[in-house]
Amino acid sequence: MKIVFATHNQHKLKEVQSLLPTSIKLLSLTDIGCTEEILETATTLQGNAKIKADYIRKAYGYDCFADDTGLEVAILYGEPGVYSARYAGANADSEANMNKLLSKLKGKNNRQAQFKTIIVLNLQDSQYVFEGVCKGEILHKKNGKQGFGYDPIFKPEGYDVSFAQMPMEEKGTISHRGKAVAELVKFFEELPRK
Ligand code: IMP
């Protein structure tokens, strides 16, 4: 079975492909010749993942899944959430986004936060949703050099180091994305029995 993962990120594609049963072959947006930008205009993670998965289904006819991730900070009522990639502005980089979050939390003791990933899958005529959550807290300063995004300031629950101080494989076993993908993999493994 061929299915599109709505991403141009070859790293993400390889990582997810390696977890799926060999009967499922993933195609990226590049593989199907999709070069147009799919605007993520929804106000929820699920809404944005659905926009991407539905666009590919409609425009290209493929079964498809898409993901969207956000960092939700409790004391900020879930900010930056769906706006995590552009928290400090449309062209903001990770440094600017982290600096904005650190300044908003300056002097605050409640640092509770969680990463959430939503995957929306369009398979034949049905739509399925998978979720992965990683709870933790926002540190007072950046720590570590690995990973991307908010990794240097996010410390997962039960650990003494930030995501950016963890080997990638270890992060994958506890991360929001890792958990959402594990749900997707379980779904595909059980598919012949459904
Ligand atoms: P995306 O939906 O995977 O593109 O994620 C949206 C934004 O959330 C990214 O641009 C990052 O800022 C942030 N983000 C997503 N996943 C992670 C992660 O694992 N670590 C740190 N930041 C992340």
Side-chain angles (χ1 to χ4, degrees):
M1 181 203 302
K2 281 187 180 169
I3 187 159
V4 173
F5 179 13
T7 182
H8 286 292
N9 184 329
Q10 287 299 323
H11 179 79
K12 259 194 197 179
L13 190 89
K14 268 193 189 153
E15 192 180 288
V16 177
Q17 178 72 72
S18 74
L19 298 168
L20 288 170
T22 48
S23 56
I24 294 163
K25 165 107 179 69
L26 291 187
L27 300 171
S28 70
L29 292 179
T30 317
D31 292 332
I32 62 166
C34 174
T35 51
E36 61 274 25
E37 191 185 358
I38 308 170
L39 293 176
E40 301 181 20
T41 52
T43 53
T44 61
L45 298 173
Q46 186 168 329
N48 277 338
K50 182 173 158 48
I51 286 175
K52 291 184 271 186
D54 286 352
Y55 179 85
I56 298 304
R57 185 79 166 131
K58 203 160 167 227
Y60 293 85
Y62 282 100
D63 286 334
C64 175
F65 65 89
D67 69 341
D68 204 30
T69 294
L71 174 63
E72 301 172 340
V73 178
I75 201 170
L76 300 178
Y77 305 100
E79 256 187 48
V82 71
Y83 305 107
S84 294
R86 47 205 150 112
Y87 192 38
N91 298 314
D93 61 9
S94 298
E95 284 300 308
N97 288 334
M98 284 191 288
N99 290 342
K100 177 169 177 182
L101 186 55
L102 286 175
S103 77
K104 281 217 166 194
L105 293 180
K106 206 165 179 190
K108 304 257 192 297
N109 290 325
N110 179 354
R111 321 275 304 182
Q112 277 180 355
Q114 63 179 26
F115 273 111
K116 186 185 284 178
T117 295
I118 299 286
I119 295 177
V120 171
L121 167 69
N122 280 333
L123 188 64
Q124 293 163 6
D125 292 330
S126 299
Q127 187 158 77
Y128 306 89
V129 179
F130 307 92
E131 180 179 308
V133 169
C134 181
K135 290 183 185 296
E137 63 187 70
I138 304 299
L139 296 166
H140 288 269
K141 61 177 186 59
K142 297 166 198 157
N143 284 285
K145 296 266 174 243
Q146 312 206 56
F148 70 104
Y150 298 86
D151 277 350
I153 58 169
F154 183 81
K155 185 180 85 62
E157 208 169 77
Y159 289 77
D160 292 327
V161 291
S162 76
F163 262 169
Q165 291 170 301
M166 279 185 176
M168 196 176 72
E169 297 71 27
E170 189 179 9
K171 180 187 165 190
T173 62
I174 59 161
S175 82
H176 40 295
R177 202 173 1 266
K179 288 176 182 169
V181 169
E183 290 299 309
L184 179 75
V185 170
K186 200 167 109 204
F187 173 86
F188 277 122
E189 283 172 349
E190 291 171 355
L191 200 54
R193 281 176 266 138
K194 281 192 201 291

